[in-house]
Every structure is written in structure tokens, then in C-alpha cells.
Amino acid sequence: MKRRNIYLMYAISLLQGMVFYGPVATLYRQAQGVSVLQITVIESISLILCLLLEFPWGMIADKIGYKRTLLLCCVLYFISKIVFWKASGFGCFLLERVILSVVIAGLSGVDSAFLYLSCKKGESQKVFGIYNSLGTAGLLFAALLFSLFVRDHYRLAGFLTVISYGLAAILSAGLTEVRREGERTSRTENLWLPLQRTWKNRNLLLLLVGTALLGETHQTVTVFLNQLQYERCGLNTAAMGYIYILVTIAGLCGAWSYKFTERLGDLRCTALFYGSAAAACILLAITESPLLSVLGVLMLRISFSLFQPLQTELQNRQISTDNRATALSVNAVIIDSVGAGTNIAFGQLAETSLPVTFLFGAGLCLVGGVFVLRQIKGTKGYFFGA
């Protein structure tokens, strides 16, 4: 049953990765009357809502079970894509993000906890890598269809996304609960223990803030600012679609994250991934070359994709409570708090100077790298090693 859970989660990740409007996510919104600043404002509102909902959702998930939580969130995910497909103007896109915030807060921690408890000992980082990479494979398939057939038909891209998320919602009904009834939380006060542990754990806080800085830089640059950079370089919509495919392929490398850590160790890998991400942002800031711009986005995408399974593993290692979803939700609250501030900063800077915005991203990556390196050093007691 647990192996079936893993395979179903793989399929769900693949289907939910099929965002057919992904190559033109910013242009799609602009075509419906939403500015770049409004987009980042919506993103920040979404993050704030996630912040408010994370902890309650974690408690609910530990109470009702992970399967029910995943099923409910997949259905809401499907509804959010219907709203996006029909959206026009700031208010409608804000509504879509409000629903999506409920979903993100609900899934945050639950999907990784569900997979972690479905895995055999020692295979979780590998499973996390495959799970993330299948989401990327879904993006790749969607981007390929976009470039070949959809192109400027933005509404069609939205409709195809609705179909893929509907199928994912159906598959989620086949999941099997991984926690026995007796393991579920019976006393609400016990759920506050993960919050207390997190705030007292300086090393974990460093990991969470450092993770947030890289994650928000990657999200903002590879989803929104990249298209503005491509326009700055004179690239057309069709070219953006093919570049999106290339960048999506690069994201598949996350499946081999565990190979890097086996060979280089957590610290060396972290230094490599964060350093490469910062270098990519600097490259984007100083160039107007289409080739170098694509190279910069690729570097950032690869760095983040390789680090993502590692950071998920690092978080799960530090959880000692049975209320794993609650503990991971507490972590997500901290990550979202950092992200809400950086999103607004990115949006304001992008309205004035795109190069300065990329330099800001480089600075966040460098600071984030220092934080995560200090966390691993503090946990394992050495600086460079396995």
C-alpha cells in the first residue's frame, strides 16, 4: 500500500506540473489587465495568507489524516485553475491566489510527510527528488505542447491546465492513509510543541530563512522576471516557449540530488548550489545577450532543483514529534514570512530597474547560503565534510 502511495503521488506531481500557461505566466496576466507590480502584490498577499493558514492546516492534517488533507487540497487546486482560466483583472486573479493559498498551506508539509512515512528507511531524499522532478517533467510536457500548438492562445492554455489538475484530483482519491488512528493528535495543546521547538532551535531557523531566500529568488526570477529579461533581449513569445522547455528539462536534475550529497556532502553541495544561484543572478544583471540570459536562468533553475530535495531532507531530519505535518507547517510559516517581504521588494525594484532587481536576488542567495552553511555546521559540528 505504501509503495502505491508513492506511485500515485508521483502521478499527481506529474499532472499538477502540467501548467500549460507556464511559459507566459506573466504575459498571460498582463494580457488580462494585471501589471507586474500587481502580480507581486498578489503573490505577497498569497504568501501572507499561507502564513496565516499554515499552522492551522498542519493541526488539521495531523487530526484528520494526511490522505483526507491531500484529497481536499487536490480538489481545491482543481477549482483554483478553473478560476484562473476564467479570470480577468486584479480581483479575479487575486481570488485565484486566495484559493491557491489555502491549497499551498494545506499541502505544505503534508505531501512531504506523507511521502516520508511511505518510504523505506534511507530512501526519502531519492523519493523527494523523483517527486519534484516529475512535477518538472509535467511542466516540460506542457511547455512542449504550448510551443507547438498553443502559443498565443492563452485561454486554451488555461483550459488544458484545468484538465490536468482535474485528473490529479481524481487520482488523489486512491491514496491510502499512512498514520494509524491511534497516532493522530488527540490533544490540541500538544500541537504547540513543534512551534516551541522550532523557535528554540537556532540552527533550524537559519536553515528555514536561508531556504526561503533562495526559494523566493528562484520563484520570482524563473517565473516572472525571466520573461521581462527575454523581452529586454528582443526574444519573441515562441522563443520564450522553447526556452521554457529547456529550463524545465534542467529542473529534472533534482532527481540526482542525492548523488551529489553522497559524493560531496551536505556542506559542499550547499556552497555549490547557493554560489551558482548568486552567480546566475549577477549574470542576468549585467547582460542583454539572449544566450547568456538563458544560461543565467538555467544556472538558477539547476541550483534550486538540486538543493530542494536536500533541504526537504534536512528539515525532516530535525523532526522528532509524531505531528510531522504540524512541524513542517511551522517551518513553512517562517519561510512564507520571509518570502512575503522579498516579493514586495522584487516587485518594486522591477518597476524601476531590472538589473538592480537581479543584483538584489544575488545578494539574497549569498546571505541564504551563509545561513544554511552555518546551520549544517552547527548541526554536524564541522565545516567541510560529508
Side-chain angles (χ1 to χ4, degrees):
M1 288 295 184
K2 288 188 175 183
R3 300 310 296 179
R4 188 182 73 173
N5 280 340
I6 293 175
Y7 296 136
L8 282 173
M9 289 295 287
Y10 284 168
I12 291 169
S13 178
L14 179 69
L15 288 166
Q16 291 181 342
M18 293 181 190
V19 181
F20 290 87
Y21 56 81
V24 289
T26 301
L27 302 181
Y28 188 115
R29 291 170 170 88
Q30 287 181 322
Q32 302 304 321
V34 182
S35 69
V36 175
L37 180 58
Q38 286 178 323
I39 290 172
T40 57
V41 169
I42 289 173
E43 286 292 305
S44 291
I45 292 173
S46 176
L47 280 173
I48 292 171
L49 285 174
C50 287
L51 171 65
L52 296 174
L53 294 171
E54 282 281 2
F55 194 43
W57 252 125
M59 292 189 290
I60 291 170
D62 282 320
K63 185 72 174 178
I64 69 173
Y66 297 164
K67 177 200 168 175
R68 291 176 183 173
T69 304
L70 288 168
L71 175 59
L72 177 59
C73 288
C74 285
V75 171
L76 289 175
Y77 225 155
F78 171 51
I79 293 172
S80 76
K81 294 308 174 186
I82 295 176
V83 174
F84 186 93
W85 170 41
K86 294 293 186 179
S88 178
F90 179 84
C92 292
F93 282 103
L94 177 60
L95 173 61
E96 181 265 338
R97 294 305 292 188
V98 168
I99 299 173
L100 191 59
S101 298
V102 176
V103 174
I104 293 173
L107 289 177
S108 178
V110 175
D111 57 350
S112 61
F114 187 83
L115 282 171
Y116 191 81
L117 294 175
S118 297
C119 291
K120 296 178 181 177
K121 185 176 181 180
E123 72 169 352
S124 57
Q125 186 178 347
K126 180 179 179 180
V127 170
F128 291 146
I130 296 173
Y131 176 71
N132 293 332
S133 293
L134 282 170
T136 303
L139 278 172
L140 173 60
F141 176 74
L144 181 61
L145 287 187
F146 173 87
S147 297
L148 292 176
F149 304 110
V150 181
R151 297 190 177 183
D152 294 328
H153 302 288
Y154 293 168
R155 290 296 191 186
L156 176 59
F159 175 70
L160 292 174
T161 305
V162 168
I163 293 175
S164 64
Y165 275 70
L167 292 173
I170 293 172
L171 287 181
S172 67
L175 296 171
T176 303
E177 183 57 63
V178 292
R179 302 183 76 200
R180 294 186 298 273
E181 191 69 28
E183 294 177 315
R184 296 179 191 174
T185 303
S186 59
R187 293 188 299 169
T188 303
E189 61 267 21
N190 289 337
L191 295 172
W192 291 94
L193 292 177
L195 180 61
Q196 296 172 359
R197 293 191 188 101
T198 300
W199 284 113
K200 293 178 181 179
N201 190 337
R202 178 173 174 271
N203 288 323
L204 178 57
L205 289 174
L206 288 172
L207 170 65
L208 298 178
V209 175
T211 295
L213 295 178
L214 175 61
E216 291 306 317
T217 299
H218 167 266
Q219 171 74 6
T220 304
V221 173
T222 62
V223 176
F224 301 112
L225 300 183
N226 61 335
Q227 294 158 47
L228 302 180
Q229 176 71 4
Y230 298 151
E231 283 189 326
R232 177 187 173 201
C233 299
L235 295 172
N236 57 33
T237 302
M240 291 182 196
Y242 290 114
I243 294 169
Y244 187 82
I245 293 173
L246 181 62
V247 173
T248 302
I249 292 173
L252 293 171
C253 67
W256 292 275
S257 171
Y258 73 102
K259 292 290 187 181
F260 279 81
T261 53
E262 285 177 355
R263 180 175 295 270
L264 300 177
D266 297 347
L267 276 161
R268 289 191 178 96
C269 283
T270 298
L272 175 62
F273 300 155
Y274 274 83
S276 298
C281 291
I282 293 172
L283 179 60
L284 289 169
I286 64 177
T287 187
E288 292 186 9
S289 164
L291 180 61
L292 293 178
S293 295
V294 173
L295 177 61
V297 175
L298 281 171
M299 288 174 58
L300 182 56
R301 176 67 167 171
I302 291 171
S303 300
F304 175 79
S305 298
L306 288 172
F307 180 69
Q308 191 175 22
L310 174 59
Q311 67 89 9
T312 305
E313 173 70 14
L314 290 173
Q315 286 191 52
N316 273 280
R317 285 179 195 169
Q318 299 209 25
I319 296 175
S320 57
T321 175
D322 287 336
N323 301 319
R324 185 170 295 273
T326 303
L328 290 171
S329 291
V330 171
N331 295 353
V333 166
I334 298 170
I335 292 173
D336 289 346
S337 299
V338 176
T342 59
N343 262 333
I344 292 292
F346 271 119
Q348 290 179 331
L349 289 172
E351 290 287 314
T352 57
S353 173
L354 196 58
V356 171
T357 308
F358 288 131
L359 290 176
F360 175 68
L364 293 183
C365 290
L366 290 174
V367 173
V370 170
F371 284 177
V372 177
L373 288 171
R374 285 179 63 85
Q375 182 272 330
I376 299 174
K377 178 185 177 182
T379 301
K380 294 192 173 182
Y382 56 86
F383 195 75
F384 287 108

